[in-house]
Amino acid sequence: MSLLRAWTTLLWLSFRRLLWSGNTLMVLLPLSACTLFLLRRQFWKQANSFESFNGFSLFLMFVFASFVVPICAVAYGTASIGGDREDRTLLFLLIRPVPRPLIFIAKFFATLPLVLGLVMGAFYLYCRLGGAIGQEAYNLYLPAIFYMTIAYVSLFHFFAVSFRHSTIIALIYSLFMELLLGNMPGIVKRVAINYYGRSMMYAAGVPAGLERPDPQWFEPISAAASAGALFGIAVGGLLVALVVFQRREYTDLT
């Protein structure tokens, strides 16, 4: 019972520490900018509903899914353990009578609902601002946004347990490497989370009026294969991160 109480206390304290942090202010800036952009563009007032749906879908695909979602995941995914590592409070946690796997799981489950709530809440708000086309986009793209979010959170937890300055590395990866790899020709793009998310969105949006991508530059795979790949990245990244955290000696803490 004392172990369960210690674990739930760590979970709650980690959640509160992430929520009331400067990272929350950091992610509110791009979220607010996206809100102002949608209010100015007023997709719901455009006469051509197909052009309106296409423009709104491209905003969700290239701005929200490709930039906002990874930024939210970086802000909290790397800070959950990386923050303790930078503040040297991780050593205090590791000497407590709580197994390392439980510490990692507590950190992960303190982060995931926070990122999911922020991303899904913003996605719902943006689609409400889009009017009828926004409601249609919400139903079509919700699975892709959900799978991308959990994949990014797991991947950035792996970064946090593996690298000292994980937030900087994760930012470089999400802002440059993901965009670069996700748009490269051939099979190289399949290492990017962004590629699978966009594939899911194209598979759902093209039948509803989204313009099909030029196969010379982007050839999506099926929605089922993309969802499976994102789920595999999420589970695989989580398990690898758990193993690294269990085995690694953090000599930089002393």
Side-chain angles (χ1 to χ4, degrees), residues 4 49 67 101 111 177:
L4 177 62
S49 59
F67 178 72
T111 307
M177 296 302 295

Side-chain angles (χ1 to χ4, degrees), residues 169-234:
I169 296 173
L171 277 174
I172 294 173
Y173 171 80
S174 59
L175 296 181
F176 298 103
M177 296 302 295
E178 274 276 313
L179 293 178
L180 178 65
L181 295 175
N183 290 286
M184 289 187 72
I187 200 171
V188 179
K189 62 169 66 71
R190 299 196 178 193
V191 301
I193 292 174
N194 178 273
Y195 169 74
Y196 296 108
R198 282 191 290 161
S199 292
M200 287 188 70
M201 296 178 80
Y202 273 122
V206 167
L210 175 62
E211 185 177 354
R212 190 180 299 276
D214 186 344
Q216 181 180 359
W217 301 104
F218 188 86
E219 189 171 357
I221 60 175
S222 69
S226 300
L230 290 174
F231 184 75
I233 292 172

Side-chain angles (χ1 to χ4, degrees):
M1 183 61 72
S2 59
L3 180 61
L4 177 62
R5 186 181 300 115
W7 186 81
T8 54
T9 302
L10 175 61
L11 177 70
W12 174 242
L13 291 177
S14 299
F15 178 83
R16 286 187 56 187
R17 182 179 182 181
L18 290 172
L19 178 62
W20 303 110
S21 67
N23 292 343
T24 301
L25 295 177
M26 185 188 77
V27 299
L28 287 179
L29 290 176
L31 292 175
S32 301
C34 289
T35 304
L36 294 176
F37 173 79
L38 289 174
L39 291 174
R40 181 170 178 78
R41 282 298 303 269
Q42 298 182 334
F43 286 103
W44 63 93
K45 286 189 175 180
Q46 296 181 5
N48 191 320
S49 59
F50 285 101
E51 289 186 4
S52 177
F53 176 77
N54 191 67
F56 188 74
S57 297
L58 293 179
F59 162 77
L60 291 177
M61 189 178 300
F62 291 104
V63 178
F64 185 74
S66 300
F67 178 72
V68 175
V69 173
I71 285 295
C72 292
V74 167
Y76 298 112
T78 56
S80 63
I81 293 177
D84 285 300
R85 197 172 173 183
E86 293 297 328
D87 297 339
R88 297 181 183 273
T89 53
L90 183 59
L91 180 62
F92 174 77
L93 289 178
L94 296 180
I95 62 175
R96 297 286 94 185
V98 179
R100 280 196 181 195
L102 290 184
I103 294 176
F104 178 84
I105 293 172
K107 291 291 185 178
F108 180 80
F109 281 106
T111 307
L112 186 61
L114 186 57
V115 179
L116 275 176
L118 194 62
V119 170
M120 293 303 168
F123 181 60
Y124 176 79
L125 173 63
Y126 297 158
C127 290
R128 290 285 295 178
L129 292 176
I133 60 165
Q135 182 59 49
E136 185 178 9
Y138 181 83
N139 296 328
L140 292 173
Y141 303 139
L142 181 62
I145 300 300
F146 175 79
Y147 280 110
M148 288 182 71
T149 303
I150 60 173
Y152 275 123
V153 171
S154 294
L155 179 64
F156 293 146
H157 269 77
F158 167 72
F159 280 26
V161 300
S162 302
F163 306 111
R164 173 71 186 276
H165 302 291
S166 57
T167 301
I168 297 174
I169 296 173
L171 277 174
I172 294 173
Y173 171 80
S174 59
L175 296 181
F176 298 103
M177 296 302 295
E178 274 276 313
L179 293 178
L180 178 65
L181 295 175
N183 290 286
M184 289 187 72
I187 200 171
V188 179
K189 62 169 66 71
R190 299 196 178 193
V191 301
I193 292 174
N194 178 273
Y195 169 74
Y196 296 108
R198 282 191 290 161
S199 292
M200 287 188 70
M201 296 178 80
Y202 273 122
V206 167
L210 175 62
E211 185 177 354
R212 190 180 299 276
D214 186 344
Q216 181 180 359
W217 301 104
F218 188 86
E219 189 171 357
I221 60 175
S222 69
S226 300
L230 290 174
F231 184 75
I233 292 172
V235 175
L238 183 64
L239 292 177
V240 172
L242 184 60
V243 171
V244 172
F245 187 69
Q246 170 68 20
R247 293 178 175 271
R248 181 157 184 174
E249 294 295 333
Y250 294 96
T251 56
D252 55 314
L253 297 178
T254 57

